[in-house]
Amino acid sequence: MSYMIGVDVGGTFTDFSIFNTETGNLKHFKHSSTPDDPSRAIVSGILHVLTEDCIKPEQVSYLAHGTTVATNALIEKKGARLGLITTKGFRDLMEIGWQKRPSLYDLSKQKPESLIPDGMKREVEERILYDGTVKTALNEDSVREAVRYLKEQGAQTIAVCTLFSFINPKHEIRIREIINEEYPEVYVSTSHELVPEFREYSRMSTTVLNAYLGPVMEKYVHNFEKSILDSGITAAPYVTQSNGSVISIAETIDCPIKTAVSGPSAGVIGAVYIGKQCGIDKVITFDMGGTSIDVSLIENGKASLSNERLVEGYPARIPMIDIVTVGAGGGSIARIDAGGALKVGPDSAGATPGPACYMRGGTEACVTDANIVLGKLNQTKILGGRMDVDLGLAEKAIKENICDKSSLDLKQAAAGIISVVNSNMTRAIRVVSVERGYDAREFTLMAFGGAGPLHACEVARDMGITSVLLPPSPGTLCSLGLLMADTKFDISRSNVMLAEEENLPKVQKIFDTLTAEGNELLDKEGVAEKDRSFTYLIECRYERQNYEIGIEVKGQFGKEVMEEMIERFHQEHNRSYGYFNRSMKLQMVNYRVSAIGDIIKPDLAEMPADPNAEPPKPFTTREVLFDREKDYITTNIYNRNDFKPGCTIMGPAIIEQMDSTSVIPPDWKAYTDGYQNIIVTYEGGAK
């Protein structure tokens, strides 16, 4: 008998999903996070699960976890002491950036704090031109001088980024060799290995971020691997990447930046899996935890991807699931601002002290406190009875922080907090849907995270969405997603050329080269040939445009494939921007290959749904104030475990379970399918 374990580290709780590969039994567990050292919660939680279920450590055949180590190091500015080596004349590129203000209308807004200490940027004599030809040979003496200087200054890591190295990496390769000769113990990150693409600022920024995180991740990996081995688990641990895949933890040492925004990606992978189970190919994910809400869009059963996003103010040009994050979670703090307006977030009470109702010393009014006052959350115990909460402390926090500083009474203040946070989350949904040319009303909102099902129906109604899907274990979907993820490596090259027949051989050569690199990476992961697959994508633009649209193509790039790509580009450009122009020539810019290794996944069986199934019986009632209602309504409270496939209930209702609480407002109907998902549909009139 063997077990697969997925672990997702959150700001408040660390979630575990444990799958028995023989019986098909799936269990979920939540454990308080340890922000000072996330690995402590992971190891102690795993040991708790093993002990409670009498599982021997050697029976664990698969272990994957999401890590916040890189994210925390960036937020707290606790990366390694960093040095930069670059082409002469370009040492200030990180400060110049795009010459964009961080906030267009906020003249006092400052650029992000530099990750490179003063005096730690060194220039070397060399110059490669746009076509890869060498204009100025590398002056190796200047490189040695730079390395020796950085060593004297205590550099723990060195980023190397020279101009046009993505076309010809000759000089960067030699610089790395010299660093290894002069300073072999230092961590090195070179741009041509990490981001072989044009746009020098994004390339340098990504390389700097990677170098900044490298030693931190290296230390974490070694400590975590030792802790896992000490626990008796022999399975090599995997870690999630920002693109929604998992790789062996040792691989993250070379590319820690690929884990920096990986936290929410596992939830999206879990949502893709559940969507396919239910035959739903248009999904907007709604992952609300204690600190933030993460929203993403799934179309045709595939998560939307992005190749660049800001990480702590700096661009990171790495493939990642396109997720919009807003500081709106259960721990988000409500306050009355200087103008007398009610504000919620983005600051959060976190796990410690947490909302006032947690009885851990918190005094701020949080979203969770408001939900308890409104009756949406159990007013005495949560987490399936494992955690006590105090209604009186929640009321006190709202009275002192909101009511006493405004004209709102307790009911109005609590309802106002929920209304404001819902509005914040609605805006996030608009960003991934309406602002990108999608009609949100055509999608199902899939709610997960500990707080997602609390707010989903009300937010959906505000967006005109009439269908909400609540997974069987919403609060642990991210850890389940880790059991559903494949291994994937994203490899890219830049080469700007027109989409014309004469360039077909060049494109094919690029794809063949990238495919070979992908096979080498999958070899290192031990992926069998039969478990490998590849996807191909070209980022295109009209001539004289500055940004591209990615179009998936076939790996054998012939004339018909190119013509199909051009037509699909016009269609996608029209959807995104409202126009297209077939008379304009198309440029191909970046070429991407994803090398995918299929990993054995849990097979969650479907149970027959009985159309005549009796609805579950509520175990109690509670007074609840719903959105758009003027007063509290006596509401049935149900246990999620009592919902059998095929049963239906009408709102208003509250459904409680260990990892989450689901709110079914009036005029909404909840149906349980064969996979134990609850599908909630709006049955009322016009919104």
Side-chain angles (χ1 to χ4, degrees):
M1 188 173 294
S2 64
Y3 295 84
M4 301 175 67
I5 300 178
V7 187
D8 177 63
V9 180
T12 307
F13 293 103
T14 296
D15 303 329
F16 299 80
S17 291
I18 306 95
F19 181 74
N20 187 319
T21 59
E22 291 189 17
T23 66
N25 182 53
L26 180 64
K27 178 180 178 179
H28 303 282
F29 171 72
K30 295 180 85 72
H31 190 72
S32 292
S33 294
T34 50
D36 60 311
D37 180 7
S39 66
R40 285 198 296 114
I42 297 173
V43 175
S44 62
I46 289 175
L47 292 176
H48 175 87
V49 169
L50 297 182
T51 302
E52 186 175 74
D53 291 1
C54 299
I55 300 172
K56 296 178 181 179
E58 58 268 23
Q59 289 180 294
V60 177
S61 60
Y62 177 86
L63 172 62
H65 82 294
T67 174
T68 58
V69 171
T71 308
N72 293 342
L74 286 170
I75 292 172
E76 299 169 7
K77 298 297 183 289
K78 291 184 178 179
R81 182 169 173 79
L82 171 67
L84 171 68
I85 294 178
T86 188
T87 305
K88 186 175 182 180
F90 287 84
R91 70 176 184 180
D92 293 323
L93 183 57
M94 286 295 291
E95 279 64 45
I96 296 171
W98 291 314
Q99 296 190 352
K100 293 180 182 178
R101 289 199 298 271
S103 180
L104 185 60
Y105 299 108
D106 185 355
L107 299 180
S108 63
K109 188 77 171 180
Q110 298 297 308
K111 287 186 175 182
E113 178 185 340
S114 176
L115 301 179
I116 308 172
D118 291 342
M120 296 295 283
K121 293 175 287 188
R122 309 304 291 177
E123 297 178 341
V124 296
E125 294 179 22
E126 68 87 35
R127 189 61 179 267
I128 289 175
L129 300 181
Y130 69 95
D131 59 357
T133 58
V134 177
K135 179 181 180 181
T136 303
L138 178 66
N139 184 328
E140 296 192 5
D141 290 338
S142 70
V143 177
R144 293 187 188 279
E145 180 182 341
V147 176
R148 290 167 184 169
Y149 171 84
L150 293 175
K151 183 177 181 179
E152 290 173 0
Q153 296 301 312
Q156 299 167 307
T157 177
I158 297 176
V160 180
C161 183
T162 60
L163 207 60
F164 293 110
S165 62
F166 64 93
I167 295 291
N168 181 355
K170 176 181 177 181
H171 288 173
E172 279 197 6
I173 292 172
R174 182 55 187 150
I175 291 172
R176 176 187 270 276
E177 291 173 349
I178 293 173
I179 293 173
N180 290 338
E181 293 168 7
E182 296 285 341
Y183 195 4
E185 63 270 29
V186 77
Y187 184 95
V188 183
S189 182
T190 57
S191 72
H192 77 276
E193 293 178 297
L194 188 66
V195 196
E197 300 177 24
F198 88 133
R199 293 196 172 100
E200 65 271 20
Y201 173 52
S202 296
R203 185 160 50 89
M204 179 179 283
S205 173
T206 308
T207 307
V208 165
L209 287 166
N210 196 68
Y212 184 73
L213 297 172
V216 177
M217 182 60 75
E218 189 172 32
K219 180 180 178 181
Y220 169 78
V221 166
H222 292 154
N223 290 341
F224 183 75
E225 285 183 318
K226 183 179 183 302
S227 298
I228 292 299
L229 286 173
D230 289 346
S231 72
I233 295 175
T234 56
Y238 285 81
V239 66
T240 183
Q241 297 188 101
S242 303
N243 64 5
S245 69
V246 292
I247 55 173
S248 59
I249 195 169
E251 283 294 313
T252 63
I253 294 175
D254 291 332
C255 300
I257 186 60
K258 292 184 179 180
T259 72
V261 286
S262 63
S265 65
V268 179
I269 296 304
V272 169
Y273 178 83
I274 287 178
K276 288 179 179 178
Q277 277 187 330
C278 303
I280 301 173
D281 63 356
K282 287 188 172 184
V283 173
I284 294 174
T285 66
F286 186 80
D287 178 7
M288 184 179 180
T291 306
S292 62
I293 172 80
D294 300 303
V295 179
S296 187
L297 186 139
I298 298 168
E299 186 181 31
N300 298 323
K302 293 183 178 180
S304 298
L305 297 175
S306 169
N307 290 306
E308 183 170 300
R309 70 174 286 178
L310 293 179
V311 178
E312 289 303 299
Y314 287 107
R317 194 159 180 80
I318 54 172
M320 64 197 82
I321 292 178
D322 190 6
I323 296 172
V324 172
T325 300
V326 174
S332 293
I333 297 171
R335 65 194 182 282
I336 301 296
D337 70 8
L342 175 60
K343 301 285 187 180
V344 181
D347 46 330
S348 171
T352 304
C357 62
Y358 281 8
M359 300 183 289
R360 294 175 178 171
T363 58
E364 303 282 1
C366 298
V367 172
T368 297
D369 295 313
N371 276 318
I372 282 182
V373 169
L374 297 175
K376 294 178 179 179
L377 273 175
N378 193 304
Q379 296 173 328
T380 57
K381 292 180 180 292
I382 58 174
L383 293 182
R386 289 171 44 218
M387 182 175 175
D388 294 329
V389 291
D390 190 312
L391 171 62
L393 289 176
E395 292 176 335
K396 180 182 178 183
I398 294 175
K399 286 177 181 176
E400 292 180 352
N401 292 282
I402 307 299
C403 300
D404 292 351
K405 300 177 182 179
S406 68
S407 60
L408 301 173
D409 62 26
L410 180 62
K411 181 175 74 173
Q412 292 171 331
I417 291 171
I418 300 305
S419 178
V420 171
V421 78
N422 284 351
S423 295
N424 293 343
M425 295 186 288
T426 298
R427 284 196 291 272
I429 293 176
R430 290 186 183 278
V431 170
V432 301
S433 58
V434 177
E435 293 184 14
R436 297 178 185 174
Y438 295 99
D439 186 344
R441 295 171 297 181
E442 298 176 355
F443 288 75
T444 294
L445 189 68
M446 188 180 299
F448 52 97
L454 270 169
H455 297 258
C457 289
E458 294 174 355
V459 170
R461 188 175 180 184
D462 289 341
M463 287 296 302
I465 297 172
T466 58
S467 177
V468 174
L469 191 150
L470 309 175
S473 297
T476 55
L477 185 64
C478 287
S479 56
L480 176 63
L482 285 162
L483 302 182
M484 305 300 177
D486 289 318
T487 292
K488 184 167 77 167
F489 293 95
D490 296 299
I491 315 139
S492 63
R493 290 290 185 278
S494 288
N495 193 333
V496 181
M497 58 181 123
L498 292 174
E500 295 179 344
E501 191 171 352
E502 65 183 39
N503 289 322
L504 291 176
K506 295 180 183 178
V507 176
Q508 190 60 58
K509 183 178 180 181
I510 292 172
F511 277 162
D512 290 345
T513 300
L514 297 181
T515 301
E517 290 182 20
N519 273 313
E520 290 177 5
L521 291 167
L522 293 176
D523 285 341
K524 291 172 66 177
E525 291 289 296
V527 178
E529 291 281 348
K530 64 181 179 63
D531 296 326
R532 300 182 184 189
S533 61
F534 295 84
T535 62
Y536 301 84
L537 181 141
I538 299 178
E539 292 181 348
C540 308
R541 66 188 183 191
Y542 290 126
E543 274 194 302
R544 295 185 296 278
Q545 283 187 325
N546 200 34
Y547 291 96
E548 301 79 42
I549 294 175
I551 304 296
E552 196 166 321
V553 298
K554 296 177 182 177
Q556 295 301 313
F557 195 73
K559 183 179 179 181
E560 290 184 4
V561 175
M562 184 177 69
E563 290 174 348
E564 180 185 351
M565 176 195 73
I566 293 172
E567 179 57 31
R568 288 173 55 208
F569 173 84
H570 293 314
Q571 295 172 5
E572 185 64 18
H573 197 280
N574 186 55
R575 186 194 63 76
S576 298
Y577 302 111
Y579 77 97
F580 65 98
N581 189 341
R582 285 195 171 89
S583 66
M584 293 188 69
K585 290 185 177 181
L586 211 65
Q587 282 184 329
M588 300 177 289
V589 180
N590 295 316
Y591 310 82
R592 303 187 183 278
V593 172
S594 294
I596 303 166
D598 184 47
I599 290 179
I600 296 175
K601 304 174 185 65
D603 183 14
L604 305 182
E606 181 180 13
M607 294 181 288
D610 181 2
N612 300 314
E614 289 288 327
K617 294 181 180 180
F619 65 86
T620 189
T621 60
R622 190 163 65 234
E623 298 300 304
V624 181
L625 180 60
F626 293 91
D627 184 41
R628 306 191 188 196
E629 299 294 329
K630 294 181 179 179
D631 214 337
Y632 285 82
I633 299 173
T634 301
T635 302
N636 288 331
I637 313 298
Y638 296 88
N639 189 318
R640 178 76 184 253
N641 294 332
D642 295 334
F643 282 70
K644 306 303 179 186
C647 73
T648 300
I649 64 166
M650 286 296 301
I654 302 292
I655 305 171
E656 296 183 350
Q657 60 192 106
M658 183 278 293
D659 59 331
S660 189
T661 296
S662 302
V663 172
I664 315 298
D667 297 327
W668 289 76
K669 180 176 73 175
Y671 166 78
T672 304
D673 71 6
Y675 293 103
Q676 297 288 324
N677 300 299
I678 294 180
I679 299 172
V680 193
T681 53
Y682 182 68
E683 302 291 320
K687 300 174 183 61

